[in-house]
């Protein structure tokens, strides 16, 4: 049985300098179950649109990026272990959405993931998630361990 999601939202108390923009952070812990990916993506996308991300960017870019990152974290990072979870942290500022997805796995080296558009890989069904994320995000970063991805989208 899946426990309902608990979304935790933090808003800045003090008004930041005009150049910094107003930031909102929210956190979501996702169980290692593929069945909940769509619901988690919907929840995050709704909050991002409510905070200023254009519906078009949220409807496609954000949804695909987050769904791929969560699926990879569940399948490859946590190896479908139901004892593990995936943490999602979203930071919304005036002009940038930053999404962090971290699993409890051992991590990987993203530089070693082959390009799925290479002729000998085109017919394979695996290896497309990270490629899609890199195409849709404005920036993608990984932690040193390789178990956390940071995806950055500009709102404009």
């Amino acid at each position: 049985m899946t426990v309902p999601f608990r979304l935790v939202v933090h808003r800045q108390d003090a008004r930041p300098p005009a150049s910094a923009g107003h930031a909102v952070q929210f956190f979501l812990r996702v169980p290692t179950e593929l069945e909940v990916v769509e619901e988690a993506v919907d929840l995050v996308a709704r909050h991002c649109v409510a905070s200023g991300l254009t519906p078009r960017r949220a409807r496609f870019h954000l949804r695909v990026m987050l769904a791929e990152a969560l699926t990879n974290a569940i399948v490859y990072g946590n190896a479908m272990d139901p004892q593990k979870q995936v943490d999602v942290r979203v930071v919304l500022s005036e002009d940038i959405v930053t999404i962090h997805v971290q699993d409890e796995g051992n991590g990987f080296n993203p530089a070693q993931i082959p390009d799925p558009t290479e002729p000998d890989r085109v017919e394979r069904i695996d290896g497309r998630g990270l490629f899609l994320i890199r195409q849709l995000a404005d920036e993608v970063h990984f932690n040193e361990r390789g178990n956390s991805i940071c995806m950055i989208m500009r709102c404009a």
Side-chain angles (χ1 to χ4, degrees), residues 8 39-40 58-59 72 74 125 139 143 149:
V8 178
E39 183 181 347
R59 215 179 352 249
N72 286 346
I74 289 169
I125 60 171
E139 295 178 39
N143 66 354
I149 185 172

Side-chain angles (χ1 to χ4, degrees), residues 6-156:
R6 181 169 177 255
L7 185 71
V8 178
V9 179
H10 294 282
R11 297 187 187 277
Q12 288 181 322
D13 292 334
R15 187 84 178 145
S19 62
H22 183 67
V24 174
Q25 286 191 71
F26 58 92
F27 306 87
L28 184 65
R29 180 158 280 169
V30 180
T32 298
E33 298 177 28
L34 289 173
E35 297 79 24
V36 301
V37 169
E38 184 177 353
E39 183 181 347
V41 169
D42 286 343
L43 184 61
V44 170
R46 278 196 312 269
H47 278 79
C48 287
V49 169
S51 297
L53 184 64
T54 63
R56 182 170 186 255
R57 296 269 291 179
R59 215 179 352 249
F60 183 72
H61 289 73
L62 180 134
R63 286 178 181 273
V64 171
M65 288 172 13
L66 183 54
E68 291 296 339
L70 282 171
T71 300
N72 286 346
I74 289 169
V75 173
Y76 300 111
N78 287 351
M80 300 295 294
D81 182 345
Q83 301 301 311
K84 295 180 179 179
Q85 297 183 336
V86 178
D87 288 324
V88 178
R89 179 170 58 101
V90 180
V91 180
L92 302 166
S93 67
E94 204 169 290
D95 55 353
I96 294 176
V97 176
T98 305
I99 303 171
H100 300 266
V101 176
Q102 183 168 340
D103 59 61
E104 295 182 57
N106 296 326
F108 76 110
N109 181 348
Q112 292 180 342
I113 302 300
D115 181 349
T117 64
E118 292 292 321
D120 62 330
R121 298 197 55 83
V122 170
E123 298 297 322
R124 296 188 57 160
I125 60 171
D126 63 329
R128 298 193 185 325
L130 187 54
F131 175 80
L132 286 171
I133 291 169
R134 286 179 167 150
Q135 298 304 306
L136 296 172
D138 293 308
E139 295 178 39
V140 178
H141 306 281
F142 295 89
N143 66 354
E144 189 173 316
R145 181 172 157 188
N147 72 325
S148 179
I149 185 172
C150 173
M151 302 168 288
I152 298 172
M153 288 178 49
R154 289 179 184 73
C155 293

